[in-house]
Amino acid sequence: MPSKLLWADDRMTLHANMMIGRDLSELGRAADQLRAWLAGVLDDEAAAGVELALVEALTNSIRHGPTESAQPIGIFLEVTDAEVVIEIADGSPPMPTLFDGAGQQKLELDSFDVEELAEGGRGLSLIVLSMDEVSFVQTDGQVRLRMVLHRR
Amino acid sequence: MKFNEDQIEGVTVLRPMNARLDASAAPALREALIGRINKGERSIILDLGSVTFMDSSALGALIAAAKRLGPTGTIAVAELAAPVAKLFSVTRMDRVFSVNASVQDAIKALVG
Protein backbone atom coordinates (compact mmCIF):
# COMPACT_ATOMS: atom_id res chain seq x y z
CA MET A 1 0.00 0.00 0.00
CA PRO A 2 1.27 3.50 -0.69
CA SER A 3 2.46 5.69 2.14
CA LYS A 4 0.86 9.04 2.78
CA LEU A 5 2.83 12.16 3.51
CA LEU A 6 1.40 15.48 4.59
CA TRP A 7 3.11 18.66 5.71
CA ALA A 8 0.92 20.96 7.78
CA ASP A 9 2.90 24.09 7.05
CA ASP A 10 1.25 26.31 9.65
CA ARG A 11 2.31 23.98 12.47
CA MET A 12 5.47 22.68 10.81
CA THR A 13 4.27 19.16 11.41
CA LEU A 14 4.91 16.18 9.18
CA HIS A 15 2.39 13.35 9.12
CA ALA A 16 2.97 10.15 7.21
CA ASN A 17 1.70 6.61 7.36
CA MET A 18 2.03 3.28 5.66
CA MET A 19 0.65 -0.23 5.98
CA ILE A 20 2.68 -3.42 5.80
CA GLY A 21 1.72 -7.07 5.66
CA ARG A 22 2.32 -9.39 8.59
CA ASP A 23 5.44 -10.86 7.11
CA LEU A 24 9.07 -10.43 8.07
CA SER A 25 9.90 -9.76 4.43
CA GLU A 26 8.11 -6.42 4.87
CA LEU A 27 10.66 -5.15 7.43
CA GLY A 28 13.06 -3.78 4.84
CA ARG A 29 10.34 -1.86 3.02
CA ALA A 30 9.14 -0.29 6.27
CA ALA A 31 12.67 0.65 7.28
CA ASP A 32 13.46 2.14 3.87
CA GLN A 33 10.29 4.25 4.01
CA LEU A 34 11.09 5.43 7.53
CA ARG A 35 14.59 6.49 6.41
CA ALA A 36 13.06 8.39 3.51
CA TRP A 37 10.66 10.17 5.84
CA LEU A 38 13.43 11.06 8.28
CA ALA A 39 15.91 12.33 5.69
CA GLY A 40 16.82 15.85 6.70
CA VAL A 41 14.85 15.50 9.94
CA LEU A 42 17.33 13.56 12.09
CA ASP A 43 21.06 13.01 11.80
CA ASP A 44 22.19 9.56 10.73
CA GLU A 45 22.87 8.27 14.25
CA ALA A 46 19.46 9.31 15.56
CA ALA A 47 17.70 7.98 12.45
CA ALA A 48 19.50 4.64 12.88
CA GLY A 49 18.17 4.40 16.43
CA VAL A 50 14.61 5.08 15.33
CA GLU A 51 15.01 2.53 12.53
CA LEU A 52 16.20 -0.09 15.02
CA ALA A 53 13.26 0.64 17.33
CA LEU A 54 10.79 0.37 14.45
CA VAL A 55 12.22 -2.88 13.13
CA GLU A 56 12.35 -4.48 16.59
CA ALA A 57 8.75 -3.42 17.28
CA LEU A 58 7.49 -4.68 13.92
CA THR A 59 9.34 -7.96 14.35
CA ASN A 60 7.64 -8.37 17.71
CA SER A 61 4.25 -7.59 16.16
CA ILE A 62 4.72 -10.03 13.29
CA ARG A 63 6.03 -12.84 15.50
CA HIS A 64 3.80 -12.38 18.54
CA GLY A 65 0.85 -10.27 17.38
CA PRO A 66 -2.63 -11.58 16.62
CA THR A 67 -1.85 -14.20 14.01
CA GLU A 68 -5.49 -14.76 13.11
CA SER A 69 -5.79 -11.24 11.79
CA ALA A 70 -5.38 -10.63 8.09
CA GLN A 71 -5.28 -6.92 8.80
CA PRO A 72 -2.07 -5.16 7.85
CA ILE A 73 0.06 -3.41 10.44
CA GLY A 74 -0.21 0.37 10.45
CA ILE A 75 2.82 2.60 10.90
CA PHE A 76 2.15 6.25 11.70
CA LEU A 77 4.77 9.01 11.84
CA GLU A 78 4.49 12.51 13.22
CA VAL A 79 7.41 14.91 13.19
CA THR A 80 7.32 18.26 14.95
CA ASP A 81 10.07 20.66 15.92
CA ALA A 82 10.12 18.97 19.32
CA GLU A 83 9.81 15.27 18.63
CA VAL A 84 9.55 12.31 16.27
CA VAL A 85 6.62 10.04 17.09
CA ILE A 86 6.17 6.56 15.62
CA GLU A 87 3.00 4.62 16.34
CA ILE A 88 2.33 1.00 15.39
CA ALA A 89 -1.16 -0.46 15.24
CA ASP A 90 -1.16 -4.25 14.94
CA GLY A 91 -4.54 -5.21 16.40
CA SER A 92 -3.10 -6.29 19.73
CA PRO A 93 -4.78 -5.45 23.03
CA PRO A 94 -3.01 -3.01 25.36
CA MET A 95 -0.03 -4.59 27.11
CA PRO A 96 0.88 -2.06 29.79
CA THR A 97 3.50 -4.30 31.41
CA LEU A 98 5.19 -5.43 28.19
CA PHE A 99 8.19 -3.15 28.66
CA ASP A 100 8.55 -3.67 32.41
CA GLY A 101 12.19 -4.40 33.17
CA ALA A 102 13.34 -3.61 29.63
CA GLY A 103 16.42 -1.42 29.29
CA GLN A 104 20.18 -1.46 29.65
CA GLN A 105 20.08 -3.48 32.86
CA LYS A 106 18.42 -6.34 30.99
CA LEU A 107 21.19 -6.33 28.39
CA GLU A 108 23.98 -6.57 30.93
CA LEU A 109 25.69 -9.96 31.07
CA ASP A 110 26.50 -11.96 34.19
CA SER A 111 28.85 -14.09 32.15
CA PHE A 112 30.58 -13.84 28.79
CA ASP A 113 30.28 -17.60 28.36
CA VAL A 114 28.32 -18.00 25.14
CA GLU A 115 26.63 -21.14 26.44
CA GLU A 116 24.83 -19.01 29.00
CA LEU A 117 23.59 -16.40 26.54
CA ALA A 118 19.98 -16.25 25.42
CA GLU A 119 19.52 -16.10 21.66
CA GLY A 120 16.58 -13.71 21.95
CA GLY A 121 14.87 -11.34 24.32
CA ARG A 122 16.81 -8.16 23.52
CA GLY A 123 14.36 -6.42 21.21
CA LEU A 124 12.20 -4.63 23.77
CA SER A 125 15.27 -3.34 25.60
CA LEU A 126 16.70 -2.01 22.33
CA ILE A 127 13.44 -0.16 21.70
CA VAL A 128 13.55 1.41 25.16
CA LEU A 129 17.18 2.44 24.72
CA SER A 130 16.65 3.85 21.23
CA MET A 131 13.66 6.04 22.09
CA ASP A 132 12.87 8.53 24.87
CA GLU A 133 9.31 7.38 25.56
CA VAL A 134 7.53 4.09 24.91
CA SER A 135 3.87 3.56 25.79
CA PHE A 136 0.54 2.25 24.54
CA VAL A 137 -2.15 4.71 23.48
CA GLN A 138 -5.71 4.52 22.14
CA THR A 139 -6.09 6.38 18.84
CA ASP A 140 -9.07 6.16 16.48
CA GLY A 141 -10.31 3.11 18.36
CA GLN A 142 -6.98 1.33 17.91
CA VAL A 143 -4.38 0.36 20.47
CA ARG A 144 -1.05 1.66 19.25
CA LEU A 145 2.49 1.25 20.46
CA ARG A 146 3.78 4.83 20.70
CA MET A 147 7.51 5.54 20.54
CA VAL A 148 8.80 9.09 20.92
CA LEU A 149 12.24 10.57 20.30
CA HIS A 150 12.83 14.10 21.57
CA ARG A 151 14.63 16.32 19.08
CA ARG A 152 16.01 18.73 21.68
CA MET B 1 20.68 -14.30 1.05
CA LYS B 2 24.00 -14.39 -0.78
CA PHE B 3 27.40 -14.71 0.86
CA ASN B 4 30.89 -14.30 -0.45
CA GLU B 5 33.34 -16.73 1.07
CA ASP B 6 37.14 -16.77 1.20
CA GLN B 7 39.74 -18.86 2.93
CA ILE B 8 42.59 -16.70 4.23
CA GLU B 9 45.38 -18.34 6.21
CA GLY B 10 43.06 -21.22 7.08
CA VAL B 11 40.30 -18.93 8.30
CA THR B 12 36.88 -18.83 6.69
CA VAL B 13 35.82 -15.28 5.87
CA LEU B 14 32.09 -15.05 5.26
CA ARG B 15 30.66 -11.84 3.86
CA PRO B 16 26.86 -11.43 3.76
CA MET B 17 25.93 -9.43 0.69
CA ASN B 18 22.68 -8.13 2.18
CA ALA B 19 22.80 -4.59 3.50
CA ARG B 20 20.18 -5.52 6.07
CA LEU B 21 20.51 -8.31 8.64
CA ASP B 22 17.09 -8.32 10.26
CA ALA B 23 14.65 -11.03 11.34
CA SER B 24 13.93 -11.95 7.72
CA ALA B 25 17.63 -12.59 7.06
CA ALA B 26 18.55 -14.12 10.43
CA PRO B 27 17.61 -17.73 9.56
CA ALA B 28 19.85 -17.65 6.46
CA LEU B 29 22.71 -16.15 8.47
CA ARG B 30 22.32 -18.83 11.12
CA GLU B 31 22.19 -21.58 8.50
CA ALA B 32 25.27 -20.25 6.71
CA LEU B 33 27.33 -20.12 9.89
CA ILE B 34 26.17 -23.44 11.30
CA GLY B 35 26.59 -25.10 7.91
CA ARG B 36 30.27 -24.17 7.90
CA ILE B 37 30.70 -25.22 11.52
CA ASN B 38 29.13 -28.58 10.74
CA LYS B 39 31.69 -28.98 7.95
CA GLY B 40 34.45 -28.60 10.51
CA GLU B 41 35.34 -24.90 10.31
CA ARG B 42 36.66 -23.77 13.67
CA SER B 43 37.54 -20.14 12.93
CA ILE B 44 35.07 -17.93 11.09
CA ILE B 45 35.28 -14.24 10.41
CA LEU B 46 31.99 -12.59 9.59
CA ASP B 47 32.84 -9.64 7.37
CA LEU B 48 30.03 -7.14 7.89
CA GLY B 49 31.43 -4.57 5.48
CA SER B 50 28.30 -4.67 3.31
CA VAL B 51 25.90 -4.50 6.23
CA THR B 52 24.34 -1.16 7.18
CA PHE B 53 21.64 -2.47 9.51
CA MET B 54 21.57 -5.32 12.02
CA ASP B 55 19.00 -6.17 14.69
CA SER B 56 18.63 -8.45 17.70
CA SER B 57 17.39 -11.36 15.58
CA ALA B 58 20.64 -11.38 13.60
CA LEU B 59 22.57 -11.19 16.86
CA GLY B 60 20.61 -14.24 17.97
CA ALA B 61 21.80 -16.08 14.86
CA LEU B 62 25.41 -15.31 15.78
CA ILE B 63 24.87 -16.53 19.33
CA ALA B 64 23.27 -19.75 18.07
CA ALA B 65 26.25 -20.36 15.80
CA ALA B 66 28.73 -19.63 18.59
CA LYS B 67 26.94 -22.14 20.80
CA ARG B 68 27.17 -24.75 18.05
CA LEU B 69 30.87 -23.98 17.62
CA GLY B 70 31.60 -24.37 21.32
CA PRO B 71 34.64 -23.22 23.26
CA THR B 72 37.21 -24.68 20.85
CA GLY B 73 36.36 -22.34 17.99
CA THR B 74 35.98 -18.63 17.34
CA ILE B 75 33.59 -16.40 15.48
CA ALA B 76 34.99 -12.93 14.90
CA VAL B 77 33.27 -9.97 13.27
CA ALA B 78 34.91 -7.23 11.22
CA GLU B 79 34.19 -4.02 9.31
CA LEU B 80 31.21 -2.94 11.41
CA ALA B 81 29.29 0.14 10.31
CA ALA B 82 28.56 2.59 13.12
CA PRO B 83 24.99 1.42 13.86
CA VAL B 84 26.13 -2.21 13.88
CA ALA B 85 29.04 -1.43 16.19
CA LYS B 86 26.64 0.37 18.51
CA LEU B 87 24.35 -2.69 18.56
CA PHE B 88 27.28 -4.90 19.60
CA SER B 89 28.30 -2.40 22.28
CA VAL B 90 24.85 -1.80 23.78
CA THR B 91 24.08 -5.54 23.95
CA ARG B 92 27.60 -6.29 25.31
CA MET B 93 28.19 -8.66 22.40
CA ASP B 94 31.48 -6.82 21.89
CA ARG B 95 32.58 -8.65 25.04
CA VAL B 96 31.46 -12.01 23.69
CA PHE B 97 32.65 -11.85 20.07
CA SER B 98 35.98 -10.62 18.79
CA VAL B 99 35.18 -7.28 17.14
CA ASN B 100 37.76 -6.04 14.62
CA ALA B 101 38.17 -2.96 12.50
CA SER B 102 39.16 -4.98 9.44
CA VAL B 103 39.28 -8.55 8.20
CA GLN B 104 43.09 -8.36 8.28
CA ASP B 105 42.97 -7.37 11.95
CA ALA B 106 40.63 -10.27 12.65
CA ILE B 107 42.98 -12.70 10.90
CA LYS B 108 45.93 -11.39 12.91
CA ALA B 109 43.93 -11.84 16.11
CA LEU B 110 43.00 -15.39 15.17
CA VAL B 111 46.24 -16.76 13.71
CA GLY B 112 48.81 -14.39 15.13
Side-chain angles (χ1 to χ4, degrees):
Chain A
M1 280 189 197
S3 60
K4 281 180 139 183
L5 187 65
L6 178 67
W7 274 105
D9 290 332
D10 55 336
R11 302 195 320 274
M12 296 301 288
T13 301
L14 167 68
H15 292 278
N17 66 77
M18 72 179 299
M19 309 297 279
I20 66 166
R22 293 176 187 270
D23 192 295
L24 294 173
S25 67
E26 290 277 73
L27 292 173
R29 186 169 72 87
D32 288 345
Q33 180 63 78
L34 177 74
R35 283 302 195 119
W37 285 337
L38 295 180
V41 172
L42 297 176
D43 64 31
D44 202 51
E45 183 179 0
V50 176
E51 179 184 4
L52 180 61
L54 175 70
V55 170
E56 295 288 356
L58 291 175
T59 299
N60 202 50
S61 287
I62 293 165
R63 283 183 170 158
H64 307 299
T67 53
E68 73 280 5
S69 172
Q71 292 294 311
I73 297 171
I75 302 166
F76 303 86
L77 173 77
E78 180 180 285
V79 178
T80 68
D81 288 345
E83 59 192 20
V84 172
V85 181
I86 307 273
E87 293 184 356
I88 296 173
D90 71 352
S92 293
M95 292 175 278
T97 61
L98 182 65
F99 288 90
D100 287 0
Q104 187 64 60
Q105 73 282 355
K106 187 158 185 196
L107 296 175
E108 298 297 341
L109 303 178
D110 295 328
S111 163
F112 299 122
D113 180 355
V114 74
E115 288 298 329
E116 297 184 20
L117 295 180
E119 292 177 27
R122 296 175 180 82
L124 298 181
S125 292
L126 290 171
I127 293 170
V128 168
L129 290 172
S130 298
M131 306 298 287
D132 293 312
E133 300 173 31
V134 181
S135 62
F136 287 94
V137 295
Q138 286 267 2
T139 304
D140 298 333
Q142 296 174 313
V143 175
R144 294 182 180 181
L145 172 64
R146 179 181 172 89
M147 303 182 290
V148 181
L149 181 74
H150 301 158
R151 298 183 68 188
R152 301 172 186 162
Chain B
M1 181 163 66
K2 290 186 177 176
F3 294 87
N4 279 351
E5 182 173 355
D6 284 316
Q7 288 285 333
I8 304 176
E9 298 187 39
V11 177
T12 299
V13 180
L14 200 60
R15 183 182 178 102
M17 300 311 293
N18 275 33
R20 305 185 58 79
L21 292 182
D22 59 21
S24 68
L29 176 63
R30 177 188 177 124
E31 188 177 316
L33 289 167
I34 289 179
R36 276 131 185 111
I37 293 164
N38 288 344
K39 286 180 183 172
E41 302 291 349
R42 310 309 301 162
S43 298
I44 299 174
I45 297 170
L46 190 63
D47 176 358
L48 296 174
S50 298
V51 175
T52 58
F53 177 87
M54 186 166 174
D55 72 0
S56 66
S57 298
L59 272 185
L62 255 68
I63 293 169
K67 286 185 175 183
R68 179 66 63 94
L69 187 57
T72 61
T74 303
I75 296 176
V77 294
E79 308 269 1
L80 279 60
V84 179
K86 186 174 181 182
L87 179 73
F88 272 78
S89 171
V90 165
T91 58
R92 307 306 189 216
M93 289 302 111
D94 58 348
R95 310 283 294 273
V96 175
F97 295 95
S98 170
V99 177
N100 302 271
S102 68
V103 170
Q104 280 306 319
D105 286 353
I107 290 169
K108 279 182 193 168
L110 284 173
V111 302

